């Protein structure tokens, strides 16, 4: 006999949350930040980006408390891991396929939950179901996920609106800023738990590390600094008045200001001493020359100076292989900067690749100076030097 709508067994549902929170206390704040919204339209449980948890009363009725506790943690994991935010950064074609995104996200969550000894209801996805390795992020799983029907964990997971969800005027919601604070608090609680007990699933451990010490994409930062410096140097030359081309008949006789943007000259000064690793140097130099090529600064507009205590060589290089690292002790990048600025064709931008253990000029030179610092804890250059820290792992592929 078909059953009518079931009333939500709130006691059972909240007992499951209590159990999840006492078993894994580092998740308690996040678990208790979810607002329960009963819904007959949601197949099992799902979340929206406002940390509202939609719950099917029939599902609660049919599911034992230990499995419900696992689902609570599963749904919380979607929000802690910012799945909806990350889904919005996927290529558009992937975003249009929320079911596959949802499966990939469930794979990212569930391998950890199962390794952690949690029980999940039947049908929970696991990377092994698709012949994929455990311990990856959903973005990595996605290409290996075939199209197939899947239960819906809501817009808090895949980021696409779902019919049963309330709009922004619904019950109490967690703001994006509060969510960020919750992620941090949870990551700190995880770290504390790990220190005290030592046990934390690998996926959560990596997640907490990433939240507490985000890895800055040095390539993007360095590229941005170089691009900006070149644009600045190009724009530093004023508007000049000139007659427009005769081939623009409508403009005949009208003198318009036109922006001449001569490409700047750029000098790259490389520290060949001490702790600059060859890989670090190659990676940093490749990034700088790549960006310069992209913006059209190439050929004789770029000069590379290899520098230790003396400027040993002044050469135009197209690859880092042409730079000889001597690993010697003394470094004085002032010599390299002075040599760069002393060239007949004076550069408007000087980029210094160094471990930072060097004296700097006493005052700002009349050019744009960007220091790209390689290594673990490079000392601070003077405040007028534009500084990009590449960190100790610049050479390793990120
Ligand atoms: Zn899910």
């Amino acid at each position: 006999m078909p059953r009518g709508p079931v009333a939500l067994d709130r006691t059972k549902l909240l007992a499951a949350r209590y159990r999840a929170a006492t078993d894994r206390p580092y998740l308690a704040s996040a678990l208790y930040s979810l607002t329960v919204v009963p819904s007959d339209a949601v197949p099992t449980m799902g979340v929206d980006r406002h940390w509202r948890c939609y719950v099917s009363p029939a599902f609660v009725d049919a599911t034992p408390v230990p499995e419900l506790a696992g689902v609570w943690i599963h749904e919380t994991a979607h929000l802690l891991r910012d799945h909806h935010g990350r889904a919005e950064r996927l290529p558009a074609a992937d975003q249009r396929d929320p079911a596959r995104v949802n499966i990939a996200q469930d794979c990212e969550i569930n391998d950890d939950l199962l390794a952690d000894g949690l029980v999940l209801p039947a049908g929970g996805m696991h990377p092994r179901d698709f012949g994929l390795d455990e311990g990856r992020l959903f973005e990595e799983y996605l290409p290996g996920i075939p199209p197939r029907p899947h239960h819906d964990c809501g817009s808090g997971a895949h980021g696409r609106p779902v019919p049963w969800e309330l709009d922004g005027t619904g019950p109490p919601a967690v703001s994006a800023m509060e969510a960020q604070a919750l992620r941090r608090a949870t990551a700190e609680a995880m770290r504390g738990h790990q220190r005290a007990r030592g046990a934390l699933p690998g996926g959560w451990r990596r997640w907490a590390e990433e939240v507490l010490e985000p890895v800055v994409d040095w390539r993007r930062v360095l590229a941005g600094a170089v691009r900006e410096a070149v644009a600045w140097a190009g724009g530093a030359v004023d508007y000049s008045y000139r007659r427009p081309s005769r081939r623009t008949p409508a403009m005949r006789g009208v003198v318009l200001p036109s922006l001449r943007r001569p490409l700047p000259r750029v000098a790259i000064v490389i520290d060949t001493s001490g702790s600059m690793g060859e890989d670090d140097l190659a990676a940093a130099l490749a990034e700088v020359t790549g960006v310069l090529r992209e913006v059209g600064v190439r050929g004789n507009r770029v000069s590379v100076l290899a520098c230790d205590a003396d400027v040993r060589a002044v050469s135009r290089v197209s690859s880092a292989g042409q730079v000889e690292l001597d690993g010697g002790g003394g470094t004085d990048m002032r010599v390299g900067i002075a040599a760069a600025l002393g060239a007949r064709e004076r550069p408007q931008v000087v980029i210094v690749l160094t471990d930072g253990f060097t004296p700097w000029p006493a005052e700002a030179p009349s050019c744009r100076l960007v220091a790209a610092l390689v290594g673990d804890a490079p000392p601070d250059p003077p405040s007028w030097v534009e500084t990009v820290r590449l960190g100790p792992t610049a050479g390793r592929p990120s």
Side-chain angles (χ1 to χ4, degrees), residues 32-68:
Y32 281 99
S33 298
L34 289 164
T35 305
V36 173
V37 182
S39 163
D40 288 316
V42 64
T44 57
M45 280 167 73
V47 283
D48 67 16
R49 65 183 64 233
H50 310 292
W51 291 60
R52 289 181 295 216
C53 184
Y54 301 85
V55 181
S56 151
F59 174 70
V60 172
D61 210 34
T63 311
V65 168
E67 291 179 24
L68 271 184

Side-chain angles (χ1 to χ4, degrees), residues 3 5 172 179 196 283-284 295 355:
R3 297 165 62 180
V295 297
D355 61 13

Side-chain angles (χ1 to χ4, degrees), residues 217-223 226 268 270 276-293 318-321 323 325 351 353-354 372-375 388 390-398:
D217 182 353
W218 66 267
R219 283 187 172 79
R220 195 176 300 173
V221 178
L222 179 58
V226 171
I268 305 169
I270 297 171
M276 281 285 280
E278 250 173 75
D279 290 348
D280 291 340
L281 170 66
L285 187 57
E287 192 61 39
V288 171
T289 50
V291 171
L292 291 177
R293 254 199 311 278
S318 50
S319 78
V323 179
L325 293 176
I351 299 163
L353 307 181
T354 176
L373 302 184
V374 176
V388 181
L390 310 191
T393 58
R396 287 176 223 153
S398 56

Side-chain angles (χ1 to χ4, degrees), residues 74 78 102 106 153:
H74 175 101
H78 279 304
N102 203 143
D106 284 1
C153 293

